[in-house]
Amino acid sequence: MTTPFPATAISPLRQRLIDDMRMRRFSEATQRNYIRDIGRFATFLGRPPDRATAEDLRRFQVEQRDAGMAAPTMNSIVSALRFFFTHTVDRPDLARKLVRVFHPRTLPVVLSRDEVARLLDATTCLKHQAALAVAYGAGLRVAEVSALKVRDIDSERMLIRVERGKGGEYRNALLPADLLFLLRQWWRVGQQQGVMHRDGWLFPGQHTMKPISTRQLHRIVVEAAQAAEIAKHVGPHTLRHSFATHLLEDGVDIRVIQTLLGHAKLENTAFYTKVATRTVRAVTSPLDKLGMLRTGVAPGG
């Protein structure tokens, strides 16, 4: 994997950080974020971050809070600094001084099955439809869709090999029969257009030597949702949320869903129980079992 940072004027400390991240197969986006966040701390410090003290970290976090920085952003910086102090400079004592900020987790936006069908039908070309169908049909993250290569489609075992999952993890994802049919259609069209090759990207970008960008995939979803007159605020991850929720509503074991999503913690998968409306509708309320309202029996009558 090529480093996303320029090869010139890199300090030994930054190079060590980059090497540590690459060794753990961090995505390029994660590498960029960690470099940015650690650089933000270094700017605040006014000296190399490996010379920081516990008091420096405390002042930095207090300043962030007072400046009104959003909790998710503050926690992202904590993750970057914890990695830096734990792995790059071997100062776990400082990593323990960093405090994550609690913030309530909002419920994810989930599309109904009808809305997913309308969204896919509203795409403007076969490549876009196939890419969004992969996101929903296999429950992949947007970066995982972007990174897929033609050889990752295993039609013999009906699996999609995800080689660049979150944290560099490898896993197998679902390959539904209808999705395979759509991908084969895209393969034929892509070959006719001269953009598809057996060793190439499954969804090439504007330049066939590079994959479609996550930014473009986000734009495709937004435009398709608008064309389908879906009022919800959607993005590529909405399709992954919908995949998990619909499986849960269909009675698929939550640990199976955890494996398919590539979640390290079951609690992340269990969060979808809060938006699985079909599961809620299947429950009979004790009030309905009384039968008093439908029969016209008044309380105490």
Side-chain angles (χ1 to χ4, degrees):
M1 184 174 77
T2 58
T3 176
F5 312 112
T8 58
I10 296 180
S11 70
L13 182 61
R14 175 176 289 202
Q15 186 59 57
R16 182 180 176 84
L17 171 63
I18 294 171
D19 291 342
D20 286 340
M21 293 190 292
R22 292 180 63 191
M23 181 170 58
R24 290 165 177 80
R25 295 182 178 273
F26 282 13
S27 69
E28 293 191 359
T30 299
Q31 291 185 46
R32 283 193 296 268
N33 292 341
Y34 276 29
I35 287 288
R36 178 201 62 210
D37 292 340
I38 295 167
R40 181 180 293 170
F41 174 63
T43 299
F44 163 84
L45 200 60
R47 61 183 188 275
D50 60 332
R51 301 180 189 174
T53 65
E55 178 60 21
D56 291 328
L57 291 175
R58 191 192 70 82
R59 290 190 302 106
F60 177 61
Q61 289 203 277
V62 168
E63 182 180 274
Q64 288 180 310
R65 181 203 61 196
D66 292 346
M69 184 172 289
T73 304
M74 292 179 66
N75 289 337
S76 295
I77 296 173
V78 166
S79 296
L81 290 174
R82 279 182 176 173
F83 179 86
F84 174 75
F85 287 118
T86 301
H87 299 286
T88 302
V89 298
D90 194 21
R91 291 290 308 277
D93 57 307
L94 290 183
R96 289 192 293 269
K97 298 296 183 180
L98 292 159
V99 179
R100 294 186 67 84
V101 181
F102 172 79
H103 66 98
R105 186 174 178 182
T106 58
L107 292 177
V109 174
V110 172
L111 301 178
S112 68
R113 288 168 169 81
D114 175 69
E115 287 173 326
V116 172
R118 285 160 46 202
L119 180 76
L120 295 177
D121 191 53
T123 52
T124 58
C125 67
L126 189 58
K127 181 175 83 170
H128 294 173
Q129 186 181 59
L132 300 194
V134 168
Y136 173 69
L140 300 193
R141 301 177 178 92
V142 62
E144 294 170 346
V145 175
S146 171
L148 285 176
K149 293 193 173 182
V150 173
R151 64 171 180 266
D152 293 328
I153 305 302
D154 187 345
S155 58
E156 293 294 325
R157 301 169 62 205
M158 296 302 289
L159 297 171
I160 298 176
R161 290 186 292 269
V162 181
E163 296 188 357
R164 299 185 183 183
K166 191 172 183 179
E169 295 291 331
Y170 290 68
R171 76 178 191 279
N172 288 321
L174 284 177
L175 177 58
D178 285 355
L179 179 56
L180 177 60
F181 177 78
L182 182 61
L183 290 175
R184 282 174 170 165
Q185 286 185 303
W186 161 234
W187 166 256
R188 289 191 291 269
V189 170
Q191 280 199 310
Q192 292 172 0
Q193 295 175 351
V195 299
M196 292 287 283
H197 309 283
R198 291 196 178 277
D199 294 323
W201 301 104
L202 183 61
F203 302 113
Q206 293 181 343
H207 301 287
T208 57
M209 298 301 292
K210 294 184 177 180
I212 191 170
S213 68
T214 57
R215 185 185 299 272
Q216 185 178 359
L217 285 170
H218 186 276
R219 184 171 65 249
I220 291 167
V221 173
V222 171
E223 291 177 353
Q226 291 174 345
E229 298 182 344
I230 297 173
K232 297 174 180 176
H233 182 71
V234 301
H237 218 66
T238 307
L239 295 171
R240 177 173 161 88
H241 291 323
S242 303
F243 164 85
T245 305
H246 295 166
L247 286 184
L248 192 62
E249 291 179 340
D250 287 342
V252 177
D253 186 90
I254 195 168
R255 292 193 179 276
V256 174
I257 301 174
Q258 177 190 7
T259 300
L260 293 174
L261 292 175
H263 280 165
K265 298 179 180 178
L266 182 61
E267 63 189 61
N268 292 333
T269 314
F271 192 68
Y272 290 109
T273 60
K274 298 184 178 182
V275 288
T277 56
R278 183 182 295 185
T279 305
V280 175
R281 292 197 304 268
V283 177
T284 301
S285 167
L287 179 64
D288 285 347
K289 291 186 176 181
L290 295 178
M292 53 182 283
L293 299 181
R294 283 172 294 176
T295 58
V297 177

Coordinates of all heavy atoms in Angstrom, one line a residue, residues 150-199:
V150 N -12.0 -7.3 -9.1 CA -12.7 -8.3 -9.8 C -12.5 -9.6 -9.2 O -13.4 -10.4 -9.0 CB -12.4 -8.3 -11.3 CG1 -13.1 -9.5 -12.1 CG2 -12.8 -7.0 -12.0
R151 N -11.3 -9.9 -8.9 CA -10.9 -11.3 -8.3 C -11.5 -11.5 -6.9 O -11.5 -12.6 -6.4 CB -9.4 -11.4 -8.3 CG -8.7 -10.5 -7.3 CD -7.2 -10.9 -7.2 NE -6.5 -10.0 -6.3 CZ -5.8 -8.9 -6.7 NH1 -5.7 -8.7 -8.0 NH2 -5.2 -8.1 -5.9
D152 N -12.0 -10.4 -6.3 CA -12.6 -10.6 -5.0 C -14.0 -11.3 -5.0 O -14.6 -11.6 -4.0 CB -12.7 -9.3 -4.2 CG -11.4 -8.7 -3.9 OD1 -10.4 -9.4 -3.6 OD2 -11.2 -7.4 -3.9
I153 N -14.6 -11.4 -6.2 CA -15.9 -12.0 -6.4 C -15.7 -13.5 -6.6 O -15.2 -13.9 -7.6 CB -16.6 -11.4 -7.6 CG1 -16.7 -9.8 -7.4 CG2 -18.0 -12.0 -7.7 CD1 -17.4 -9.4 -6.1
D154 N -16.1 -14.3 -5.6 CA -15.9 -15.7 -5.6 C -17.3 -16.3 -6.0 O -18.1 -16.6 -5.1 CB -15.4 -16.2 -4.3 CG -15.0 -17.7 -4.3 OD1 -15.4 -18.4 -5.3 OD2 -14.3 -18.1 -3.4
S155 N -17.5 -16.5 -7.2 CA -18.8 -17.1 -7.7 C -19.0 -18.5 -7.4 O -20.1 -19.1 -7.3 CB -19.1 -16.8 -9.2 OG -18.0 -17.4 -9.9
E156 N -17.9 -19.3 -7.2 CA -17.9 -20.7 -6.8 C -18.5 -20.9 -5.4 O -19.3 -21.7 -5.2 CB -16.6 -21.3 -7.0 CG -16.0 -21.4 -8.4 CD -16.8 -22.3 -9.3 OE1 -17.3 -23.3 -8.7 OE2 -17.0 -22.0 -10.5
R157 N -18.0 -20.1 -4.5 CA -18.4 -20.2 -3.1 C -19.5 -19.2 -2.7 O -20.0 -19.1 -1.6 CB -17.2 -20.0 -2.2 CG -16.1 -21.0 -2.4 CD -14.8 -20.6 -1.7 NE -15.1 -20.6 -0.2 CZ -14.3 -19.9 0.6 NH1 -13.4 -19.1 0.2 NH2 -14.6 -19.9 1.9
M158 N -19.9 -18.3 -3.7 CA -20.9 -17.3 -3.5 C -20.5 -16.4 -2.3 O -21.3 -16.1 -1.4 CB -22.3 -17.9 -3.3 CG -22.8 -18.6 -4.5 SD -22.9 -17.6 -6.0 CE -24.3 -16.5 -5.6
L159 N -19.3 -15.9 -2.4 CA -18.7 -15.0 -1.4 C -18.0 -13.8 -2.0 O -17.6 -13.9 -3.2 CB -17.7 -15.7 -0.5 CG -18.2 -16.9 0.3 CD1 -17.1 -17.7 1.0 CD2 -19.2 -16.4 1.4
I160 N -17.9 -12.7 -1.3 CA -17.1 -11.6 -1.6 C -16.0 -11.5 -0.6 O -16.2 -11.4 0.6 CB -17.9 -10.3 -1.6 CG1 -19.0 -10.3 -2.6 CG2 -17.0 -9.1 -2.0 CD1 -20.0 -9.1 -2.6
R161 N -14.7 -11.5 -1.1 CA -13.6 -11.4 -0.2 C -13.3 -9.9 0.1 O -13.0 -9.2 -0.9 CB -12.4 -12.1 -0.9 CG -12.4 -13.6 -0.9 CD -11.1 -14.2 -1.5 NE -10.9 -13.8 -2.8 CZ -11.3 -14.5 -3.9 NH1 -11.9 -15.6 -3.7 NH2 -11.0 -14.1 -5.1
V162 N -13.4 -9.6 1.3 CA -13.1 -8.2 1.7 C -11.7 -8.2 2.3 O -11.5 -8.6 3.4 CB -14.2 -7.7 2.8 CG1 -13.9 -6.3 3.1 CG2 -15.6 -7.8 2.2
E163 N -10.8 -7.6 1.6 CA -9.4 -7.7 2.0 C -8.9 -6.4 2.7 O -7.8 -6.4 3.2 CB -8.5 -7.9 0.8 CG -8.7 -9.3 0.1 CD -7.7 -9.6 -1.0 OE1 -6.8 -8.8 -1.2 OE2 -7.8 -10.7 -1.5
R164 N -9.7 -5.4 2.6 CA -9.3 -4.1 3.2 C -10.4 -3.6 4.1 O -10.9 -2.5 4.0 CB -9.0 -3.1 2.1 CG -7.9 -3.5 1.2 CD -7.5 -2.4 0.2 NE -6.5 -2.8 -0.7 CZ -5.9 -2.0 -1.6 NH1 -6.4 -0.7 -1.7 NH2 -5.0 -2.4 -2.4
G165 N -10.8 -4.5 5.0 CA -11.8 -4.1 6.0 C -11.3 -3.1 7.0 O -10.1 -2.8 7.0
K166 N -12.1 -2.7 7.9 CA -11.7 -1.8 9.0 C -10.6 -2.4 9.8 O -10.8 -3.5 10.3 CB -12.9 -1.4 9.8 CG -12.7 -0.2 10.8 CD -14.0 0.2 11.4 CE -13.8 1.4 12.3 NZ -15.1 1.8 13.0
G167 N -9.6 -1.6 10.0 CA -8.5 -2.1 10.8 C -7.6 -3.1 10.1 O -6.8 -3.9 10.7
G168 N -7.8 -3.2 8.7 CA -7.0 -4.2 8.0 C -7.4 -5.6 8.1 O -6.7 -6.5 7.6
E169 N -8.7 -5.8 8.6 CA -9.2 -7.2 8.8 C -9.7 -7.8 7.5 O -10.2 -7.1 6.6 CB -10.3 -7.2 9.8 CG -9.9 -6.8 11.2 CD -9.0 -7.8 11.9 OE1 -9.1 -9.0 11.6 OE2 -8.1 -7.4 12.7
Y170 N -9.5 -9.1 7.3 CA -10.0 -9.8 6.2 C -11.3 -10.5 6.6 O -11.4 -11.0 7.7 CB -9.0 -10.8 5.7 CG -7.8 -10.2 5.0 CD1 -6.8 -9.5 5.8 CD2 -7.6 -10.4 3.7 CE1 -5.7 -9.0 5.2 CE2 -6.4 -9.8 3.1 CZ -5.5 -9.1 3.8 OH -4.4 -8.6 3.2
R171 N -12.3 -10.6 5.7 CA -13.5 -11.4 6.0 C -14.2 -11.8 4.7 O -13.8 -11.2 3.6 CB -14.4 -10.6 6.9 CG -15.2 -9.5 6.3 CD -16.1 -8.9 7.3 NE -17.1 -8.0 6.6 CZ -16.8 -6.7 6.3 NH1 -15.6 -6.2 6.5 NH2 -17.8 -6.0 5.7
N172 N -15.1 -12.7 4.8 CA -15.9 -13.0 3.7 C -17.3 -12.4 3.9 O -17.9 -12.4 5.0 CB -16.1 -14.6 3.6 CG -14.8 -15.2 3.1 OD1 -14.1 -14.7 2.2 ND2 -14.5 -16.4 3.7
A173 N -17.8 -11.8 2.8 CA -19.2 -11.2 2.8 C -20.1 -12.0 1.9 O -19.7 -12.8 1.1 CB -19.1 -9.8 2.4
L174 N -21.4 -11.8 2.1 CA -22.4 -12.4 1.2 C -22.3 -12.1 -0.2 O -21.9 -10.9 -0.6 CB -23.8 -12.0 1.7 CG -24.4 -12.6 3.0 CD1 -25.7 -12.0 3.3 CD2 -24.5 -14.1 2.8
L175 N -22.6 -13.0 -1.1 CA -22.7 -12.7 -2.5 C -24.1 -13.3 -3.0 O -24.2 -14.5 -3.4 CB -21.6 -13.4 -3.3 CG -21.7 -13.2 -4.9 CD1 -21.8 -11.7 -5.3 CD2 -20.5 -13.9 -5.6
P176 N -25.2 -12.6 -2.8 CA -26.5 -13.0 -3.2 C -26.5 -13.3 -4.7 O -25.8 -12.7 -5.5 CB -27.4 -11.9 -2.8 CG -26.6 -11.0 -1.9 CD -25.2 -11.2 -2.3
A177 N -27.4 -14.3 -5.1 CA -27.5 -14.7 -6.5 C -27.9 -13.5 -7.4 O -27.3 -13.3 -8.5 CB -28.5 -15.8 -6.6
D178 N -28.8 -12.7 -6.9 CA -29.2 -11.5 -7.7 C -28.1 -10.5 -7.9 O -28.0 -9.9 -9.0 CB -30.4 -10.8 -7.1 CG -31.7 -11.6 -7.3 OD1 -31.7 -12.6 -8.0 OD2 -32.8 -11.2 -6.7
L179 N -27.3 -10.4 -6.9 CA -26.1 -9.5 -6.9 C -25.1 -10.0 -7.9 O -24.6 -9.2 -8.7 CB -25.5 -9.3 -5.6 CG -24.3 -8.4 -5.5 CD1 -24.6 -7.0 -6.1 CD2 -23.7 -8.3 -4.1
L180 N -24.9 -11.3 -7.9 CA -23.9 -11.9 -8.9 C -24.4 -11.7 -10.3 O -23.6 -11.4 -11.2 CB -23.8 -13.4 -8.6 CG -22.9 -14.2 -9.6 CD1 -21.5 -13.6 -9.6 CD2 -22.9 -15.7 -9.2
F181 N -25.7 -11.8 -10.5 CA -26.3 -11.6 -11.9 C -26.0 -10.2 -12.3 O -25.6 -9.9 -13.4 CB -27.8 -11.9 -11.8 CG -28.5 -11.6 -13.1 CD1 -28.4 -12.5 -14.2 CD2 -29.3 -10.4 -13.3 CE1 -29.1 -12.2 -15.4 CE2 -29.9 -10.2 -14.5 CZ -29.8 -11.1 -15.5
L182 N -26.2 -9.2 -11.4 CA -26.0 -7.8 -11.7 C -24.5 -7.5 -12.0 O -24.2 -6.8 -12.9 CB -26.5 -6.9 -10.6 CG -26.4 -5.4 -10.7 CD1 -27.2 -4.9 -11.9 CD2 -26.9 -4.7 -9.5
L183 N -23.7 -8.1 -11.2 CA -22.2 -7.9 -11.4 C -21.7 -8.5 -12.7 O -20.9 -7.9 -13.4 CB -21.4 -8.5 -10.2 CG -21.6 -7.8 -8.9 CD1 -20.9 -8.6 -7.8 CD2 -21.0 -6.4 -9.0
R184 N -22.3 -9.6 -13.1 CA -22.0 -10.2 -14.4 C -22.4 -9.3 -15.5 O -21.7 -9.2 -16.6 CB -22.6 -11.6 -14.5 CG -21.8 -12.6 -13.7 CD -22.5 -14.0 -13.8 NE -21.6 -15.0 -13.2 CZ -21.9 -16.2 -12.8 NH1 -23.2 -16.6 -12.9 NH2 -21.1 -17.1 -12.3
Q185 N -23.6 -8.7 -15.4 CA -24.0 -7.7 -16.4 C -23.0 -6.5 -16.4 O -22.7 -6.1 -17.6 CB -25.4 -7.1 -16.0 CG -26.6 -8.1 -16.3 CD -27.9 -7.4 -16.0 OE1 -28.1 -6.9 -14.9 NE2 -28.8 -7.4 -17.0
W186 N -22.6 -6.0 -15.3 CA -21.7 -4.9 -15.3 C -20.3 -5.3 -15.9 O -19.7 -4.6 -16.6 CB -21.5 -4.4 -13.8 CG -20.3 -3.6 -13.6 CD1 -19.3 -3.8 -12.7 CD2 -19.8 -2.4 -14.3 NE1 -18.3 -2.9 -12.8 CE2 -18.6 -2.0 -13.8 CE3 -20.3 -1.7 -15.4 CZ2 -17.9 -0.9 -14.3 CZ3 -19.6 -0.6 -15.9 CH2 -18.4 -0.2 -15.3
W187 N -19.9 -6.6 -15.6 CA -18.6 -7.1 -16.2 C -18.7 -7.0 -17.7 O -17.7 -6.6 -18.3 CB -18.4 -8.5 -15.7 CG -17.4 -9.3 -16.4 CD1 -17.5 -10.2 -17.3 CD2 -15.9 -9.1 -16.3 NE1 -16.3 -10.7 -17.8 CE2 -15.3 -10.0 -17.2 CE3 -15.1 -8.2 -15.6 CZ2 -14.0 -10.1 -17.4 CZ3 -13.7 -8.3 -15.8 CH2 -13.2 -9.3 -16.6
R188 N -19.8 -7.5 -18.3 CA -19.9 -7.5 -19.8 C -19.9 -6.0 -20.3 O -19.2 -5.7 -21.3 CB -21.2 -8.2 -20.2 CG -21.1 -9.7 -20.0 CD -22.2 -10.4 -20.7 NE -23.5 -10.1 -20.0 CZ -24.0 -10.9 -19.0 NH1 -23.4 -11.9 -18.6 NH2 -25.2 -10.6 -18.5
V189 N -20.6 -5.2 -19.7 CA -20.7 -3.8 -20.1 C -19.3 -3.1 -19.9 O -18.9 -2.4 -20.8 CB -21.8 -3.0 -19.4 CG1 -21.7 -1.5 -19.6 CG2 -23.2 -3.5 -19.7
G190 N -18.7 -3.3 -18.8 CA -17.4 -2.7 -18.5 C -16.4 -3.2 -19.5 O -15.5 -2.4 -19.9
Q191 N -16.4 -4.4 -19.9 CA -15.4 -4.9 -20.9 C -15.7 -4.3 -22.2 O -14.7 -3.9 -22.9 CB -15.5 -6.4 -21.0 CG -14.8 -7.2 -19.9 CD -14.5 -8.6 -20.2 OE1 -15.4 -9.4 -20.7 NE2 -13.3 -9.1 -20.1
Q192 N -16.9 -4.1 -22.6 CA -17.2 -3.4 -23.8 C -16.7 -2.0 -23.8 O -16.3 -1.5 -24.8 CB -18.7 -3.5 -24.1 CG -19.3 -4.9 -24.4 CD -20.8 -4.9 -24.4 OE1 -21.5 -3.8 -24.3 NE2 -21.4 -6.1 -24.7
Q193 N -16.8 -1.4 -22.6 CA -16.3 0.0 -22.5 C -14.8 0.1 -22.3 O -14.2 1.2 -22.4 CB -17.0 0.7 -21.3 CG -18.5 0.8 -21.4 CD -19.1 1.4 -20.1 OE1 -18.5 1.5 -19.1 NE2 -20.4 1.7 -20.2
G194 N -14.2 -1.0 -22.2 CA -12.7 -1.1 -22.0 C -12.2 -0.7 -20.7 O -11.0 -0.3 -20.5
V195 N -13.1 -0.7 -19.6 CA -12.6 -0.3 -18.3 C -12.5 -1.4 -17.3 O -12.0 -1.2 -16.2 CB -13.6 0.8 -17.7 CG1 -13.7 2.0 -18.6 CG2 -15.0 0.2 -17.5
M196 N -12.9 -2.6 -17.7 CA -12.9 -3.8 -16.8 C -11.9 -4.8 -17.2 O -11.8 -5.1 -18.4 CB -14.3 -4.5 -16.8 CG -15.4 -3.6 -16.1 SD -15.2 -3.5 -14.3 CE -15.8 -5.1 -13.8
H197 N -11.0 -5.2 -16.2 CA -10.0 -6.2 -16.5 C -10.0 -7.2 -15.3 O -10.3 -6.8 -14.2 CB -8.6 -5.5 -16.5 CG -8.6 -4.3 -17.5 ND1 -8.6 -4.5 -18.9 CD2 -8.7 -3.0 -17.3 CE1 -8.6 -3.3 -19.5 NE2 -8.7 -2.4 -18.5
R198 N -9.6 -8.4 -15.6 CA -9.6 -9.5 -14.6 C -8.8 -9.1 -13.4 O -9.1 -9.6 -12.3 CB -9.2 -10.8 -15.2 CG -10.1 -11.3 -16.3 CD -9.9 -12.8 -16.6 NE -10.9 -13.2 -17.6 CZ -12.1 -13.7 -17.3 NH1 -12.5 -13.7 -16.0 NH2 -12.9 -14.1 -18.2
D199 N -7.7 -8.4 -13.5 CA -6.9 -8.1 -12.4 C -7.1 -6.6 -11.9 O -6.4 -6.1 -11.1 CB -5.4 -8.2 -12.7 CG -5.1 -9.7 -12.9 OD1 -5.6 -10.6 -12.2 OD2 -4.2 -10.0 -13.8

